[in-house]
Amino acid sequence: MTTIKIVAVCFFGFASGLAVGSGFVAFLTVLGIIPRLTQLTKTMKMIQHYEWAVVIGAFTGVVGSLRDPLLNISVYLLIPLGITGGVFFGMLAAALTEVLNVLPILVKRIRMDGQIIILIMAIVLGKIFGSIFQWLYFVHH
Amino acid sequence: MWEVNVLEKTIYIRMRNRVQSRPEEKILLKDIAQIIAPDAGLSSLQAMMIHQLTEADRNMVVIDVMKVIHLIKSKFGEMEIQTIGPAQTIIEVTNKKKGVSIPFFLLIWFLLFFGSAMAIMNFHDDVSMKSVHEKIYTIITGKKEANPLLFQIPYSIGLGLGMILFFNHVFKKRINEEPSPLEVEMFNYQLDLDNYVIIHENKESMKRLNDDD
């Protein structure tokens, strides 16, 4: 009986991991963040390494969130980690906005075809403001 | 010898995609198409009137290449006409160039600003970003910290930086000059609109075979 239980639990764990993992990759693919980054840096040839970076990163995240490891390293390592994580989320948010096709329609409605950048800056500054406001003030209330 | 003769009798026209015009204006052939023709007829071809804009045209008119060919044939019957490129021109009738109204613009700007600020806060709450930040802080330093600002402030700045990178507007000159995804998206949207207009405003491109349905 116990063997069957163990096999079943392993199977269900494996199956749900498979579903979540492929969903995660599919989400990233739809948003096109990796192609965008390779296009900006002209490193299309390294795309396979980027795939591995995502896989290893996701696996590290799994270990970090399930096993609670303690590394006891310098606190200043958090600064580059924060920036890179933030850039990733920023690109995610920008890609989502673009998928929904909001800005082209809005820009056309108010006849500002030349100056999309001002509207983009509104969104960008809004995100930075919202995020900083949340961590400095909002979470304490 | 024969080939030269044929070439001399050929008019090449290429319709422009979009043309902007004022109301009540006369649309000439040179406004809506590029023309290559024998010198003799060129100037009268260029000045040939294709359409007179009226109130009834409202703000979009589609001129089909068939109409242009028909008009040219009726005047230069012996010439051969070759068309290249788009089969129609969209004439956009614009009144005086309307400026952007500042209050309206400010409204949209603050709408987007507070909208995205709220959206990111909702997102953070939704995915328990705070506890993830605390956890990362604990993993790296081994200490517990309720407000890991050292992680959160760089994260917030990076968030904006990532969006700018994605849209590639600010660093356009420095990184590369490819169009940003948003510009491509704007272009696609305009193309879709044009396609819609071409089919729906152009009476010739939709015709019912029997009128009774």
Side-chain angles (χ1 to χ4, degrees):
Chain A
M1 245 350 240
T2 39
T3 336
I4 296 174
K5 274 180 189 164
I6 289 168
V7 169
V9 166
C10 282
F11 176 76
F12 286 135
F14 182 73
S16 47
L18 206 69
V20 172
S22 50
F24 177 67
V25 175
F27 183 62
L28 279 185
T29 310
V30 164
L31 294 179
I33 291 172
I34 299 168
R36 184 83 192 112
L37 280 169
T38 57
Q39 185 199 355
L40 282 173
T41 53
K42 299 217 164 70
T43 48
M44 278 75 168
K45 282 183 191 146
M46 310 298 271
I47 195 100
Q48 208 144 32
H49 300 281
Y50 294 147
E51 283 171 9
W52 280 108
V54 170
V55 173
I56 296 168
F59 190 72
T60 314
V62 168
V63 173
S65 64
L66 296 182
R67 305 302 315 161
D68 294 315
L70 295 179
L71 297 179
N72 291 312
I73 324 175
S74 158
V75 75
Y76 296 105
L77 183 66
L78 286 168
I79 296 174
L81 282 183
I83 290 181
T84 45
V87 167
F88 187 81
F89 271 113
M91 297 194 81
L92 215 67
L96 267 177
T97 317
E98 194 221 315
V99 164
L100 296 178
N101 218 347
V102 177
L103 282 172
I105 296 170
L106 205 59
V107 165
K108 198 145 172 58
R109 284 286 160 277
I110 63 168
R111 291 193 204 85
M112 283 205 22
D113 303 42
Q115 298 120 303
I116 331 172
I117 181 154
I118 307 178
L119 292 182
I120 293 178
M121 284 323 282
I123 297 180
V124 169
L125 293 176
K127 289 262 190 255
I128 297 177
F129 169 80
S131 184
I132 290 182
F133 172 76
Q134 185 169 26
W135 308 129
L136 288 183
Y137 182 83
F138 189 76
V139 287
H140 305 301
H141 289 260
Chain B
M1 215 41 219
W2 183 81
E3 262 183 53
V4 174
N5 269 336
V6 169
L7 280 178
E8 276 175 355
K9 290 195 169 189
T10 310
I11 300 171
Y12 295 93
I13 50 176
R14 182 186 178 116
M15 304 291 279
R16 298 182 205 279
N17 270 317
R18 292 175 74 80
V19 175
Q20 288 195 337
S21 184
R22 297 281 162 80
E24 313 290 322
E25 215 157 90
K26 289 184 172 68
I27 304 294
L28 307 179
L29 184 57
K30 67 170 187 258
D31 296 330
I32 59 166
Q34 302 171 25
I35 314 160
I36 297 177
D39 287 337
L42 189 60
S43 57
S44 66
L45 259 177
Q46 284 176 333
M48 177 185 266
M49 197 179 92
I50 302 293
H51 187 80
Q52 165 73 59
L53 289 175
T54 59
E55 282 284 308
D57 290 328
R58 305 219 287 191
N59 56 359
M60 288 276 190
V61 187
V62 177
I63 305 285
D64 202 277
V65 74
M66 293 302 279
K67 179 179 177 178
V68 174
I69 293 174
H70 179 75
L71 284 169
I72 297 175
K73 276 281 175 202
S74 67
K75 211 167 170 184
F76 303 85
E78 77 286 2
M79 302 287 255
E80 191 188 331
I81 302 167
Q82 293 273 356
T83 68
I84 302 153
Q88 60 277 308
T89 296
I90 299 171
I91 300 174
E92 204 179 345
V93 186
T94 50
N95 294 319
K96 277 168 273 148
K97 209 167 172 108
K98 276 189 200 152
V100 182
S101 81
I102 297 297
F104 201 38
F105 162 69
L106 286 177
L107 182 79
I108 299 276
W109 202 92
F110 280 107
L111 188 112
L112 288 174
F113 180 81
F114 284 115
S116 36
M118 238 187 82
I120 200 73
M121 287 169 74
N122 272 321
F123 165 74
H124 285 162
D125 240 33
D126 208 30
V127 299
S128 316
M129 192 64 86
K130 188 174 166 6
S131 63
V132 172
H133 283 180
E134 282 165 23
K135 204 158 195 172
I136 292 172
Y137 190 95
T138 313
I139 289 174
I140 300 287
T141 64
K143 279 174 257 158
K144 279 224 180 306
E145 167 71 59
N147 296 299
L149 288 182
L150 211 58
F151 184 77
Q152 290 171 332
I153 303 295
Y155 163 84
S156 306
I157 294 164
L159 195 71
L161 207 66
M163 297 196 70
I164 293 173
L165 261 183
F166 189 87
F167 288 133
N168 188 23
H169 253 289
V170 173
F171 310 111
K172 195 170 199 169
K173 294 275 142 51
R174 239 162 288 167
I175 296 182
N176 64 34
E177 298 204 0
E178 276 163 14
S180 90
L182 198 60
E183 278 163 333
V184 174
E185 204 59 49
M186 294 272 309
F187 174 80
N188 282 337
Y189 182 62
Q190 189 63 56
L191 221 60
D192 284 349
L193 282 184
D194 286 355
N195 271 335
Y196 180 90
V197 168
I198 284 166
I199 295 189
H200 285 257
E201 291 272 310
N202 193 350
K203 286 141 214 133
E204 291 301 321
S205 62
M206 277 201 302
K207 208 153 216 178
R208 290 226 171 92
L209 282 183
N210 5 312
D211 267 338
D212 40 60
D213 58 19

